[in-house]
Amino acid sequence: MSKSQASQKEPSKKKIQAIRGMNDLLPGQSALWQYFEGQVQALMKRYGYDEIRTPVVEQTALFKRSIGEVTDIVEKEMYTFDDRNGDSLTLRPEGTASCVRAAMEHGLLHNQTQRLWYQGPMFRHERPQKGRYRQFHQVGVEAFGLEGPDIDAEMILLSARLWRELGLMEHVTLELNSLGSTEARAAYRERLVAYFEQHHEQLDEDSRRRLDSNPLRILDSKNPEMAAMLADAPKLMDHLDDDSREHFEALCAMLDAAGIDYVLNPRLVRGLDYYGRTVFEWTTTALGSQGTVCAGGRYDGLVEQLGGKATPAVGFAMGIERLILLLETLELVPDTARGELDLYVLPMDDAASRQALLLGERLRSELPGLRAQLHCGGGSFKSRIKKADRSGARLALLLGEDELANGTATLKFLREERDQQSLPQAGLATTLSRLLAQDIA
Ligand code: ATP
Ligand code: MG
């Protein structure tokens, strides 16, 4: 046996770990995610949006044709591989392209409007850092077949409602811009390139590379040395076509009427090629440089570009990790999103196990909001009490020989200095619901 064969057979001692930039969601965090997802689901129902679920893998061509060949995502961030048939597949880097593909494939766009939402993992090979991961999660919203500014406004109001309900409204800012029509954008592009060429010596390497392929994206540069030059660059807002201008003004008027504050940001261009007219981002200063928590806009040309009938469309996506981080950073996690137990049901010896099991079942039936855990696995009296303390529950119900004999349970307060009480088992549900009134919805 050659040396290399031997080393191949030897089991590697190196522990297998998760892929860099791809996170496990651990038990202590899942309650907060569920809280967030629950808020989103309820919100979508209230606005009449239907959920759509699409595969996480698509043909590579879908993303190349929609997001654009010379965008950061397609040029350097996609997880692309050949499957066993030799087809080029890609783990979705975003949700809009898949949504459009599915809507076209299933005839959802024929003479009808659609309001859809989705949620799930997205994949981009970026440098992992706080708020930026290689598998991350988005909630996205898309509307098809509606061309007026009313639907743009609805989307922004929908997102604003979510921020209000999560307590985030005063910590986020709405930035707005219009990218105009394809023609206005093309004319503006020439102006912009001419301006950048005049200031060629001030462009960094990235920007020089983009000068031919995607000059609008240069406006998005965060390089402080270019800031002054960029601030003086011609603004697309000053060169909009009449229709786009009217659309944008009407949108702003609707937001004003609804009391939504916004900042006009002429440099907001978005990194995906399919956007035109309205674009917007919700940003925060509380997360450092990963400050955009939600972003979107109109993409009226995309359906046709992918081979369908021209269909106006608008949508946005929010990054769940960043919003969760924001809730944690600002200490806006409500008690119900901490996943804590209300009650630990504790048989004090093995003889009480069956009674404790049945009592737990009965209380869960009587109090559907109750979060109760049964002590399983036996143990000494001392270790049982220790487990009750460690469970994090607020209350414990103890069942021992005496309790079984006289049909009671002993109520112990695990997180408060209060005397324990002996209570008849029959009235327990009422007592518990009174004690936990603030916790049980
Ligand atoms: P950024 O400028 O931060 O890279 P983007 O313009 O690439 O964002 P979009 O493609 O518009 O982002 O995605 C919408 C939202 O999804 C972003 O605003 C952000 O909240 C989230 N997001 C995007 N990329 C990542 C990532 N790699 N990790 C975590 N969240 C992300
Ligand atoms: Mg990005």
Side-chain angles (χ1 to χ4, degrees):
M1 207 192 295
S2 77
K3 220 174 162 188
S4 73
Q5 275 174 323
S7 65
Q8 267 175 19
K9 290 221 162 148
E10 218 172 84
S12 166
K13 300 242 164 50
K14 220 173 139 200
K15 276 210 192 96
I16 297 177
Q17 293 193 315
I19 294 165
R20 199 163 115 81
M22 303 203 180
N23 302 316
D24 297 306
L25 179 63
L26 299 176
Q29 303 162 299
S30 51
L32 178 52
W33 279 66
Q34 286 172 358
Y35 158 73
F36 177 81
E37 289 162 359
Q39 296 277 326
V40 166
Q41 275 183 25
L43 182 76
M44 298 303 170
K45 279 201 189 125
R46 291 160 73 193
Y47 278 82
Y49 284 67
D50 281 331
E51 188 183 2
I52 182 166
R53 300 189 188 191
T54 63
V56 290
V57 190
E58 298 273 358
Q59 289 186 34
T60 303
L62 175 66
F63 303 115
K64 286 195 172 168
R65 277 167 59 189
S66 54
I67 299 168
E69 295 266 5
V70 292
T71 55
D72 281 356
I73 294 180
V74 172
E75 272 187 342
K76 46 189 193 201
E77 296 174 359
M78 294 206 304
Y79 280 90
T80 297
F81 59 96
D82 287 343
D83 82 350
R84 288 171 191 273
N85 311 326
D87 297 331
S88 180
L89 306 184
T90 294
L91 296 182
R92 62 179 183 196
E94 58 107 46
T96 302
S98 309
C99 209
V100 171
R101 197 260 319 131
M104 284 166 56
E105 190 169 327
H106 301 285
L108 305 186
L109 306 180
H110 290 309
N111 304 320
Q112 42 183 331
T113 61
Q114 291 289 345
R115 285 171 159 96
L116 306 175
W117 74 278
Y118 60 83
Q119 153 178 18
M122 307 294 161
F123 303 84
R124 295 185 196 175
H125 197 276
E126 302 196 69
R127 191 168 71 77
Q129 52 196 296
K130 186 178 155 204
R132 191 177 294 287
Y133 311 102
R134 290 182 173 172
Q135 174 175 326
F136 62 100
H137 297 76
Q138 285 183 336
V139 168
V141 178
E142 318 284 357
F144 297 101
L146 299 163
E147 62 185 341
D150 45 359
I151 186 71
D152 305 18
E154 177 183 278
M155 292 231 163
I156 289 170
L157 292 178
L158 177 154
S159 52
R161 185 179 295 276
L162 183 62
W163 313 145
R164 266 201 308 280
E165 290 178 356
L166 293 171
L168 291 174
M169 196 56 176
E170 58 191 285
H171 306 281
V172 290
T173 303
L174 174 63
E175 299 186 24
L176 267 188
N177 193 18
S178 173
L179 299 179
S181 66
T182 314
E183 298 73 33
R185 216 158 43 250
Y188 169 72
R189 185 185 157 125
E190 281 180 29
R191 260 175 221 274
L192 192 64
V193 170
Y195 175 82
F196 285 145
E197 270 165 0
Q198 277 166 24
H199 299 83
H200 200 265
E201 72 293 347
Q202 293 175 50
L203 294 176
D204 59 17
E205 201 186 318
D206 242 12
S207 305
R208 285 183 189 173
R209 198 171 48 80
R210 281 180 172 147
L211 195 53
D212 290 324
S213 58
N214 201 348
L216 267 66
R217 274 294 269 179
I218 299 176
L219 295 172
D220 198 32
S221 166
K222 311 278 185 298
N223 184 347
E225 286 170 23
M226 290 178 24
M229 185 269 293
L230 291 177
D232 288 341
K235 298 182 175 51
L236 181 45
M237 194 56 92
D238 298 333
H239 302 282
L240 285 185
D241 51 295
D242 290 343
D243 285 351
S244 296
R245 173 176 313 286
E246 271 169 38
H247 183 105
F248 192 68
E249 282 168 1
L251 169 62
C252 291
M254 285 177 194
L255 295 177
D256 292 338
I260 299 286
D261 292 334
Y262 50 85
V263 176
L264 298 182
N265 177 358
R267 280 171 51 188
L268 182 63
V269 289
R270 313 283 306 114
L272 300 87
D273 277 359
Y274 49 63
Y275 286 111
R277 289 202 170 170
T278 312
V279 286
F280 65 92
E281 288 191 357
W282 287 96
T283 58
T284 173
T285 52
L287 291 181
S289 52
Q290 269 53 257
T292 303
V293 292
C294 175
R298 291 202 80 86
Y299 51 96
D300 296 327
L302 183 57
V303 175
E304 197 175 16
Q305 197 179 309
L306 290 175
K309 210 174 114 205
T311 306
V314 55
F316 69 77
M318 52 187 133
I320 304 184
E321 280 83 356
R322 290 188 195 174
L323 287 161
I324 297 277
L325 259 173
L326 194 54
L327 291 172
E328 287 172 336
T329 308
L330 300 170
E331 295 179 11
L332 291 170
V333 179
D335 282 347
T336 48
R338 292 185 200 283
E340 285 167 1
L341 288 174
D342 300 313
L343 181 68
Y344 196 74
V345 184
L346 181 61
M348 289 194 277
D349 52 39
D350 289 345
S353 287
R354 200 183 62 208
Q355 273 305 110
L357 176 85
L358 298 182
L359 179 63
E361 286 303 301
R362 204 188 79 207
L363 291 173
R364 289 189 196 96
S365 299
E366 290 174 357
L367 300 171
L370 182 72
R371 295 166 294 184
Q373 195 176 73
L374 175 70
H375 175 87
C376 290
S380 67
F381 179 71
K382 213 173 128 197
S383 80
R384 288 174 197 239
I385 293 288
K386 212 174 190 175
K387 288 223 167 99
D389 278 332
R390 280 205 193 140
S391 72
R394 200 178 135 204
L395 306 171
L397 274 180
L398 279 53
L399 286 183
E401 209 177 321
D402 291 350
E403 286 83 356
L404 292 193
N406 51 32
T408 59
T410 299
L411 176 70
K412 203 168 147 40
F413 295 86
L414 298 174
R415 289 194 256 144
E416 292 147 89
E417 289 294 330
R418 267 171 88 168
D419 292 340
Q420 59 183 46
Q421 301 170 18
S422 173
L423 300 165
Q425 282 188 27
L428 274 177
T430 319
T431 314
L432 287 176
S433 74
R434 189 164 36 77
L435 279 169
L436 298 166
Q438 275 105 22
D439 292 351
I440 301 181

